[in-house]
Amino acid sequence: MAQRIGRPSKRPAPAGDGAPAIPFEFDPPGSDFESDHLTTQDVDGGQRITWPLIGKSFFLPDRGGKPAGVKFYVDLRTIEQTNPQLAIHRLGGFSLGDYHEFFMHGVPAHRAYRFGSVEASFGEGSPLLARLFWGVFYEKYWGEWSTNASLRITNCSLETVERYVIAAFLEYKKEIGFLPGIQQIDFGQLEFGEELDTEAEGRGVVRAPPVVTDIEPLRFYMAGLNSDDEAACLSFYRVLEYYAFMQQAVQVTTLRRDPTVSDADFTRRTLEIASREEKGPIFKLLGEITTPDILQAAVNGGVVKEARQTLINEALYAYRNSIVHGKFGSAFTLRSQSVLAPDAEAGVWRGLLQDLAWAALQNLGSKA
């Protein structure tokens, strides 16, 4: 998510060196791609759409028995499958050969930077971006095209584009004081629904369940709800760690209150509890709170092959450690989340861990 870091810079913008390869603005706007910006050529099975400014084109296939020019909208997956040189980054942008473009959260100023032979500029979305995403970009929800911005990167391979995206973000932050972020044009982010169905005099007071009084795990849970996927996974996992530790503490308290346990035995057995393998208490907790629905969701999400408790225990522990401890040559896979598109696996684990954290709060939390 884009965020403002500190205050905007008081320094004047640098003069720069010439105009950027991709104009900051288009006249007419990039959304008027059929007017002057793009050219269309009928070819076998569809149309060839070209942006002469950069010399890039893609094939727009016919669909449903109708020519591409008649049936205006062709879904992005179909376009991507018929264009080997085209990569769609979820619904956040695209790469076409050595040209790349991404929707941005509302950046406050147009800027351009050159990194060797690679140029990155923040400006109005191009006609090519508009043409590709016009089937999912509805101004009703995302604002007029001219009010949106994009990051345009030229002369860069697909394999290296992410490093230049990050470099452009950091330069922009350094100069403007604002950290950009890629906007996913995704209807899943929108909430559709009817107005609340309430009686004229009001619905009355609803009796709610008892309140969980354990403030630390509640804070972890709330932090997870307000974080991106990987950070959310760690916050929800901390809820599980909290209650796994509390179960160990209960064992120690039980030993301390047992009159048949000598001081020596109490010390020995307490050390045994404290020195157990880290994942043991987590696995014990998971065994108590994992429901069949959670197991099936793990299978459906592709993180385990079978709905078995031991499989989800090991998979969850390995995923958590890949984020926290993963490094080259270690026992845990090194994971880092791409800035170009959300991590699908992280999204699956986020849902599972949220359900598990909620189950731990409801089943093990103190109530009032």
Side-chain angles (χ1 to χ4, degrees):
M1 181 66 69
Q3 55 181 308
R4 186 169 297 279
I5 307 296
R7 297 182 177 180
S9 172
K10 299 297 184 180
R11 297 171 297 168
D17 180 19
I22 309 301
F24 286 129
E25 297 176 330
F26 298 92
D27 186 18
S31 54
D32 294 337
F33 46 79
E34 291 187 302
S35 56
D36 298 317
H37 299 300
L38 305 181
T39 63
T40 301
Q41 178 185 6
D42 291 329
V43 296
D44 289 343
Q47 295 178 333
R48 173 66 55 182
I49 309 295
T50 303
W51 189 18
L53 178 66
I54 62 172
K56 301 294 182 186
S57 66
F58 69 93
F59 173 68
L60 185 66
D62 296 339
R63 186 184 183 203
K66 294 183 179 181
V70 175
K71 191 171 181 60
F72 181 76
Y73 168 64
V74 178
D75 67 275
L76 283 168
R77 178 174 296 181
T78 300
I79 297 175
E80 185 177 28
Q81 289 173 345
T82 52
N83 288 271
Q85 80 283 20
L86 175 68
I88 304 297
H89 302 288
R90 298 291 289 271
L91 290 177
F94 72 95
S95 294
L96 186 60
D98 62 358
Y99 177 75
H100 318 267
E101 189 166 2
F102 303 91
F103 289 103
M104 290 288 101
H105 292 290
V107 293
H110 294 165
R111 287 293 186 272
Y113 308 99
R114 190 167 289 123
F115 308 95
S117 61
V118 176
E119 182 177 288
S121 62
F122 296 86
E124 182 185 319
S126 76
L128 203 54
L129 183 70
R131 182 64 187 87
L132 280 168
F133 284 83
W134 206 243
V136 293
F137 186 95
Y138 292 94
E139 293 187 342
K140 174 181 178 180
Y141 304 114
W142 305 109
E144 294 184 6
W145 186 261
S146 60
T147 65
N148 284 274
S150 72
L151 169 60
R152 300 81 58 86
I153 298 180
T154 61
N155 199 33
C156 175
S157 70
L158 176 62
E159 292 72 25
T160 62
V161 65
E162 186 173 5
R163 69 187 63 169
Y164 288 103
V165 170
I166 295 172
F169 284 178
L170 296 179
E171 285 298 314
Y172 198 92
K173 170 184 174 292
K174 181 171 65 177
E175 180 186 350
I176 305 297
F178 180 89
L179 182 63
I182 293 177
Q183 171 69 59
Q184 296 288 327
I185 305 302
D186 184 356
F187 281 119
Q189 298 180 7
L190 301 176
E191 294 183 4
F192 299 93
E194 300 177 357
E195 293 185 1
L196 293 177
D197 183 15
T198 58
E199 300 174 4
E201 67 275 13
R203 182 168 63 108
V205 179
V206 176
R207 184 177 296 277
V211 174
V212 175
T213 58
D214 303 326
I215 191 63
E216 288 84 2
L218 281 175
R219 287 171 176 167
F220 296 148
Y221 187 81
M222 285 300 299
L225 296 180
N226 291 289
S227 303
D228 61 27
D229 288 343
E230 282 198 351
C233 287
L234 293 179
S235 291
F236 294 139
Y237 190 88
R238 295 187 74 183
V239 176
L240 304 183
E241 287 184 316
Y242 177 90
Y243 286 110
F245 170 80
M246 293 306 295
Q247 286 187 326
Q248 287 183 301
V250 169
Q251 295 179 49
V252 173
T253 300
T254 301
L255 284 174
R256 185 182 62 185
R257 293 175 178 174
D258 187 344
T260 65
V261 177
S262 66
D263 290 345
D265 282 343
F266 173 76
T267 301
R268 178 180 57 79
R269 292 169 66 177
T270 299
L271 290 174
E272 288 177 352
I273 293 173
S275 60
R276 285 174 185 168
E277 187 178 11
E278 178 190 24
K279 64 183 181 181
I282 291 290
F283 286 8
K284 180 177 182 297
L285 173 67
L286 291 175
E288 296 175 5
I289 63 175
T290 303
T291 64
D293 286 345
I294 292 176
L295 285 174
Q296 190 57 50
V299 175
N300 296 341
V303 296
V304 295
K305 294 182 178 180
E306 299 176 36
R308 290 165 46 195
Q309 186 68 53
T310 55
L311 293 181
I312 195 173
N313 288 352
E314 293 290 351
L316 188 153
Y317 188 71
Y319 177 76
R320 177 262 185 185
N321 286 326
S322 70
I323 300 174
V324 177
H325 300 301
K327 56 183 178 292
F328 289 114
S330 75
F332 304 108
T333 303
L334 176 64
R335 291 184 60 88
S336 59
Q337 187 165 327
S338 171
V339 302
L340 305 185
D343 183 342
E345 184 181 3
V348 173
W349 277 118
R350 176 185 187 143
L352 294 171
L353 279 161
Q354 180 175 339
D355 289 345
L356 289 166
W358 181 251
L361 283 165
Q362 297 306 305
N363 289 287
L364 302 172
S366 302
K367 305 286 182 64

